[in-house]
Amino acid sequence: MTYRQTHTVFNQPIPLNNSNLFLSDGALRDAVAREGAGWDVELLASIGQQLGAAESLELGRLANTHPPELLRYDPGGRRLDDVRFHPAWHLLMQGLCANRVHNLPWQEAARKGAFVARAARFVLHAQVEAGTLCPITMTFAATPLLSASMPAPFSAWLKPLHSDRYDAHLQPGERKRGLLIGMGMTEKQGGSDVLSNTTHAMPLAQRGPGEPYRLVGHKWFFSVPQSDAHLILAQTKGGIGCFFLPRFLPDGVRNAVRLERLKDKPGNRANASAEAEFDGAIGWLIGEEGEGMRQILKMGSMTRFDCALGSHGLMRRALSVALYHVHQRQAFGKHLIDQPLMRQQIGRMALWMEGQTAFLFRLARAWDSRDSEHERAYLRVFTPAAKFTVCRAGIDFAAECMEALGGNGYCEESELARIYREMPVNSIWEGAGNIMCLDVLRALAKHPGIVDMLNAEFDEVRGQNRHFDRAWRQLQQRLRTPRESQGRVITRQLAQLASAAQLLRYASPPLAAEWCRMVLDPRGEAMLAERTLDDVLLRATGAVAVQT
């Protein structure tokens, strides 16, 4: 029996594989050089080539297709409380640690632009698999605190904590070549209101910094449960304290941390998030009793910035996939990129990324220069503003990119389905949107120097664009008597003006003018000029040019 061929497959774009994630991104290349990390460009190009390869992208797919498993007991019935990962997870973690995404600024503290270089590496890795960034960002944020306050019994941990090795072996930290640090803050009854935590800590002997306490309680979100240690919050006689909770005690015995289950999340599936109980676990106090919130806030700004960077990386990958598709797919006799509606929509997304990239890497430069009072004020207000605006924008942005692919974008064979599911987590974790906006309002109320910083940042470019000038006057009015009910509006305006200010300083005048018109003009959406479309799409379609 013979069968006839039913159809020929054509007009189906091939997936975006084997592109250079760094060289393809004109806005990122410019920002890295401008903000002080030009010395890292050659390595970033190498990392971008490796991560854009089909093999790396396949690791990201596999790590999400085979999520971690909780192993509560060993075959003999002994309590194990371990997490098993697919080999793809471990390979991705090896790459992150080898590229020092977890500690580059601490290893290159004297080098200008170390935070900028690390931010670029973070963005590139986010485009392959975002779940692996969770242990990296927590370890990164905890390292300076532990370097200064590591409890004496764990002094040998400092060397592996600063290494570039990834070591997944289940053994005490002093025997390992590399370490990961997790965090556990929230409980069932409190969420972001960690002052309502019920976990309590009693000293084994003396009270005070570096002393061991016995912990009884739980954590509703115990991030990266396979970590070598966690920083957690617990109630003490003197108030909320921050505790160093190791997986293994100094005598080699497993700490009494019980993993109850892993969270079943819509996205971020490659990463393990657990519920945990402390049945008399031992933790060492970091700082004084009552200083727990202050210690955590030292790390919170870093992890929040990483949330924004992670969402930005996901947005960049979604845009690259959409751009590659619309350059190949034809409809009604034209490539999609030549259809006026699609050209405008994809161009607007590319233009949005220009402003967002400029803003985030200006913020990265502030981290490099945090000894400056001006830069500290910039960090204080724009870190939560970046997390709110970028992470929120990413959700709709991913949906638009998915729509550019039509039905194919909504199927699991496309990267975009995973990116879409991943997007909300950065908006929720490390403080959801309202928490970020309240943080911005507190900063404005408590730190008078922030207003001076804003005046210096925005007055410098005042007079270059009428939309910018109008938006800045409106924001100044709101800042005279800021109300909590306007927190989202104020926060969003701050981030938009910061993005516009960077473009007005450094981008081509037509591109900066179109961005301001698109984002700041209250009259609604306007068509982008064809000349600007050509420019912004050329800068954004390097992924097509370097595809091999």
Side-chain angles (χ1 to χ4, degrees):
M1 181 180 294
T2 60
Y3 295 92
R4 291 178 295 176
Q5 182 175 341
T6 61
H7 68 289
T8 300
V9 177
F10 67 100
N11 197 28
Q12 281 284 357
I14 61 173
L16 175 58
N17 291 319
N18 301 317
S19 65
N20 190 308
L21 303 184
F22 179 70
L23 295 181
S24 66
D25 190 341
L28 178 60
R29 294 199 318 270
D30 288 352
V32 166
R34 179 175 64 243
E35 305 298 354
W39 50 267
D40 202 38
V41 165
E42 186 174 338
L43 181 56
L44 286 170
S46 176
I47 293 171
Q49 186 65 42
Q50 176 194 0
L51 293 177
E55 293 82 2
S56 294
L57 298 171
E58 176 65 4
L59 291 178
R61 188 192 70 81
L62 287 170
N64 281 269
T65 303
H66 305 281
E69 303 175 78
L70 174 60
L71 305 177
R72 296 184 69 184
Y73 299 94
D74 72 6
R78 290 173 287 271
R79 193 78 189 221
L80 190 59
D81 295 292
D82 196 14
V83 183
R84 177 183 292 162
F85 290 85
H86 188 273
W89 168 274
H90 298 298
L91 290 172
L92 291 165
M93 288 297 299
Q94 285 176 10
L96 280 158
C97 292
N99 289 330
R100 290 201 174 275
V101 184
H102 65 308
N103 65 14
L104 180 66
W106 317 135
Q107 297 302 103
E108 301 278 356
R111 193 163 197 176
K112 179 184 177 183
F115 265 91
V116 174
R118 187 258 176 187
R121 298 181 193 191
F122 196 95
V123 166
L124 295 178
H125 277 276
Q127 297 181 52
V128 176
E129 206 295 300
T132 50
L133 298 175
C134 185
I136 291 299
T137 191
M138 289 189 296
T139 302
F140 171 68
T143 294
L145 177 64
L146 293 178
S147 296
S149 308
M150 183 69 81
F154 304 94
S155 58
W157 284 39
L158 291 176
K159 182 177 180 181
L161 184 63
H162 285 273
S163 80
D164 63 353
R165 306 297 293 274
Y166 169 67
D167 189 338
H169 291 99
L170 181 60
Q171 59 186 8
E174 64 271 12
R175 301 181 196 169
K176 298 181 68 171
R177 297 170 296 172
L179 299 175
L180 295 176
I181 307 297
M183 296 182 188
M185 308 299 162
T186 60
E187 298 181 3
K188 293 183 177 72
Q189 73 286 344
S192 295
D193 182 14
V194 295
L195 293 178
S196 68
N197 282 6
T198 61
T199 297
H200 61 273
M202 293 294 294
L204 295 186
Q206 299 180 1
R207 297 182 179 276
E211 295 295 331
Y213 287 62
R214 190 173 300 280
L215 304 170
V216 176
H218 81 285
K219 294 298 169 188
W220 188 228
F221 280 90
F222 194 61
S223 298
V224 191
Q226 75 276 17
S227 297
D228 298 288
H230 282 76
L231 294 174
I232 71 157
L233 295 176
Q235 299 282 359
T236 71
K237 185 177 180 179
I240 288 279
C242 176
F243 290 88
F244 176 80
L245 186 74
R247 202 173 189 189
F248 285 89
L249 299 174
D251 60 4
V253 173
R254 288 287 298 271
N255 210 347
V257 177
R258 311 303 186 206
L259 301 182
E260 296 303 311
R261 63 174 176 171
L262 299 184
K263 298 290 192 182
D264 187 7
K265 299 165 292 186
N268 199 248
R269 297 189 65 81
N271 177 44
S273 307
E275 298 168 20
E277 293 189 351
F278 311 136
D279 187 13
I282 308 300
W284 280 255
L285 182 64
I286 302 293
E288 298 285 350
E289 292 185 1
E291 290 186 344
M293 286 302 301
R294 187 172 69 84
Q295 302 290 357
I296 293 303
L297 287 175
K298 291 179 182 178
M299 300 177 285
S301 289
M302 296 181 197
T303 55
R304 288 171 175 180
F305 182 43
D306 278 359
C307 285
L309 291 174
S311 288
H312 180 77
L314 289 167
M315 291 166 75
R316 173 58 206 183
R317 183 60 186 176
L319 178 62
S320 295
V321 171
L323 280 166
Y324 194 60
H325 177 88
V326 299
H327 275 83
Q328 298 179 75
R329 180 77 166 179
Q330 293 186 10
F332 311 112
K334 294 181 181 179
H335 284 98
L336 291 180
I337 191 60
D338 297 321
Q339 301 284 358
L341 271 176
M342 179 61 77
R343 186 171 175 80
Q344 281 287 324
Q345 183 61 20
I346 207 85
R348 296 175 72 86
M349 290 192 289
L351 183 57
W352 174 265
M353 291 295 285
E354 291 277 350
Q356 186 168 284
T357 304
F359 169 42
L360 287 175
F361 280 82
R362 167 64 181 91
L363 188 54
R365 171 160 59 88
W367 279 103
D368 267 314
S369 308
R370 59 198 182 280
D371 290 338
S372 158
E373 184 177 344
H374 178 92
E375 297 303 313
R376 285 198 301 274
Y378 196 97
L379 288 173
R380 183 67 185 85
V381 72
F382 284 119
T383 299
K387 182 185 183 301
F388 171 68
T389 55
V390 175
C391 298
R392 288 294 306 169
I395 300 170
D396 289 340
F397 193 96
E400 287 285 3
C401 292
M402 186 183 290
E403 191 169 328
L405 272 69
N408 286 356
Y410 195 63
C411 294
E412 289 296 334
E413 287 87 349
S414 166
E415 294 175 60
L416 294 179
R418 188 173 89 232
I419 290 174
Y420 182 72
R421 290 197 309 273
E422 192 77 30
M423 275 298 186
V425 71
N426 284 327
S427 185
I428 295 169
W429 284 358
E430 301 302 318
N434 286 347
I435 298 296
M436 294 301 98
C437 296
L438 291 171
D439 200 19
V440 168
L441 294 179
R442 277 193 297 270
L444 291 167
K446 293 184 177 181
H447 301 277
I450 286 178
V451 174
D452 295 334
M453 177 275 295
L454 293 174
N455 287 329
E457 287 288 320
F458 297 156
D459 286 351
E460 181 183 331
V461 296
R462 191 174 58 180
Q464 295 185 34
N465 183 275
R466 61 189 176 91
H467 302 303
F468 178 90
D469 293 347
R470 183 192 300 113
W472 177 215
R473 288 194 300 270
Q474 290 174 346
L475 180 60
Q476 285 175 309
Q477 280 188 321
R478 288 192 170 104
L479 293 182
R480 290 190 184 101
T481 54
R483 300 197 302 270
E484 181 176 320
S485 59
Q486 292 184 318
R488 287 191 170 219
V489 175
I490 290 171
T491 302
R492 190 174 289 112
Q493 277 193 310
L494 281 165
Q496 289 172 351
L497 286 168
S499 301
Q502 284 300 97
L503 292 180
L504 289 169
R505 285 187 185 95
Y506 301 114
S508 69
L511 189 151
E514 283 293 304
W515 196 94
C516 290
R517 187 163 67 96
M518 179 180 78
V519 177
L520 302 177
D521 187 348
R523 293 173 298 181
E525 295 187 357
M527 295 281 288
L528 298 183
E530 192 62 30
R531 178 177 164 186
T532 303
L533 273 174
D534 288 341
D535 182 25
V536 74
L537 289 173
L538 182 63
R539 288 171 56 78
T541 52
V544 177
V546 298
Q547 171 85 11
T548 58

